[in-house]
Amino acid sequence: MLKSWLREPLLHFLLIGAVLFLLYYLQNDLNDEDLVADSNRIVISGAHIDRLVTMWEKRRQRPPIPSELEGLIEHRIREEVLNREALSMGLDKDDSVIRRRLAQKVEFIFADIAAQAEPTDTQLVDYLNANPEKFEIPGRISFVQVYFNTDKRGEQGHRDAGKLMAKLMQPGSYIDIGSVGDVFMFGQQHEHVTEQDVSRLFGEGFSKELFNLPIGGWQGPISSSYGSHLVRIASKTLSAQPDLEAVRDKVRIEWEAEQRQQMDESFYQSLRQRYEIVIEDRIEAE
């Protein structure tokens, strides 16, 4: 019961609202609970120094020596002094970089909260069934082909392919396929390649026709963007839809990404409704 309640989007929005309220509070308290709000007074608390030390130890795998700690504290003071001066000068206003960075921070916070949602098996199965193309196990094919270069042979290339096909169809015939046809840049033998692989090498039309042919025996000619081909299929498996256990991790990643996107848009729209949006007409240059 508790787990299902924790998955409710309404709870997520409430949590996000609480986080944003906290951020607003901290922002108005100069972004640091250890810094006094008086614009002319900066206090670096013991808790803040402890955090500086902890961050240093994580990076360097050792505590800072006194001079290094003094440098860390001075760097933090310098940062705060310059930050306050920049705010007093209004340098944060109309700065696209700062505005974009602040917007990104809110999005990152929301993304972290949205990522806490735990999908159920039912949700994952529904997502798998609704997006079969993302998780389909592709069919694979193994075949050998003899190539006739129509750029070099012209229309004679198709006729030559037809003549060779007639010879291959004769009972008891033996032809060394390595000695016929033209040299193909991708070779004659292709093992366990997917339809996408074949499309990339030979073209989409060739790939679709190839996967519709039966296993065994020479067939063709089949045209590609390179010329004419005779093919013999050794093995073939069709594409299949996997069950959840076979692709659980991938389904979960895709599901979470979609949830983040949907929740992000819903969250943005809920924030946007709080504002009156006015888009003025452009001032045309004379």
Side-chain angles (χ1 to χ4, degrees):
M1 181 69 179
L2 179 59
K3 287 186 177 180
S4 62
W5 185 70
L6 290 174
R7 297 188 191 102
E8 287 297 322
L10 178 60
L11 175 62
H12 299 157
F13 287 129
L14 291 174
L15 290 174
I16 291 165
V19 170
L20 291 176
F21 177 81
L22 177 62
L23 287 176
Y24 177 80
Y25 174 80
L26 292 177
Q27 175 68 26
N28 285 275
D29 197 26
L30 297 177
N31 293 316
D32 197 316
E33 61 185 3
D34 303 314
L35 298 172
V36 177
D38 187 340
S39 61
N40 293 320
R41 184 166 180 253
I42 296 175
V43 177
I44 306 297
S45 72
H48 188 78
I49 294 174
D50 288 341
R51 287 202 295 275
L52 293 176
V53 171
T54 299
M55 292 174 62
W56 174 280
E57 290 177 342
K58 286 182 178 179
R59 289 195 302 264
R60 305 295 181 90
Q61 301 301 310
R62 64 172 179 82
I65 62 176
S67 61
E68 290 170 335
L69 179 57
E70 183 180 348
L72 291 174
I73 296 172
E74 183 57 37
H75 177 78
R76 182 65 186 90
I77 294 172
R78 176 185 175 87
E79 181 182 77
E80 185 61 26
V81 167
L82 296 179
N83 177 65
R84 294 189 187 189
E85 289 301 313
L87 293 175
S88 68
M89 296 167 66
L91 299 182
D92 59 319
K93 304 297 189 297
D94 298 322
D95 189 307
S96 60
V97 175
I98 293 177
R99 185 167 58 249
R100 185 164 55 248
R101 180 59 178 158
L102 292 175
Q104 287 176 341
K105 281 189 173 184
V106 175
E107 289 177 340
F108 291 156
I109 292 170
F110 179 77
D112 287 342
I113 295 174
Q116 302 305 312
E118 283 289 334
T120 64
D121 280 2
T122 300
Q123 288 173 313
L124 293 180
V125 169
D126 289 344
Y127 186 80
L128 173 61
N129 293 335
N131 300 274
E133 71 286 349
K134 291 185 177 182
F135 310 104
E136 183 180 75
I137 299 174
R140 293 184 178 273
I141 193 168
S142 296
F143 68 100
V144 62
Q145 60 87 31
V146 178
Y147 166 61
F148 292 86
N149 188 335
T150 52
D151 285 340
K152 183 174 66 175
R153 299 180 184 231
E155 285 300 315
Q156 186 62 38
H158 296 294
R159 291 191 287 270
D160 291 343
K163 290 178 182 178
L164 178 59
M165 182 65 189
K167 292 181 182 179
L168 291 170
M169 294 292 290
Q170 293 176 1
S173 65
Y174 172 78
I175 297 176
D176 179 11
I177 62 170
S179 63
V180 294
D182 298 314
V183 176
F184 187 60
M185 68 177 73
F186 301 118
Q188 285 190 318
Q189 195 77 29
H190 301 270
E191 299 287 343
H192 305 295
V193 288
T194 66
E195 187 170 352
Q196 184 178 8
D197 294 333
V198 178
S199 294
R200 187 173 64 252
L201 296 178
F202 295 87
E204 185 176 351
F206 179 96
S207 179
K208 289 186 179 298
E209 188 170 355
L210 179 68
F211 270 82
N212 285 326
L213 295 176
I215 297 172
W218 284 98
Q219 297 164 88
I222 304 176
S223 295
S224 75
S225 56
Y226 301 103
S228 193
H229 307 258
L230 303 182
V231 299
R232 184 178 64 198
I233 300 173
S235 66
K236 179 175 63 172
T237 59
L238 300 178
S239 60
Q241 186 68 20
D243 57 27
L244 177 61
E245 290 309 313
V247 289
R248 175 180 290 274
D249 290 344
K250 184 177 180 181
V251 173
R252 177 174 179 142
I253 290 171
E254 293 286 343
W255 180 90
E256 289 176 344
E258 183 174 287
Q259 292 300 304
R260 282 194 298 271
Q261 183 178 5
Q262 292 177 354
M263 294 178 68
D264 179 70
E265 181 60 23
S266 297
F267 176 58
Y268 166 69
Q269 292 299 331
S270 69
L271 294 179
R272 195 178 193 275
Q273 291 175 6
R274 296 166 53 187
Y275 298 89
E276 178 187 3
I277 308 296
V278 178
I279 301 177
E280 298 181 343
D281 294 335
R282 295 177 57 193
I283 300 176
E284 300 291 341
E286 296 182 357

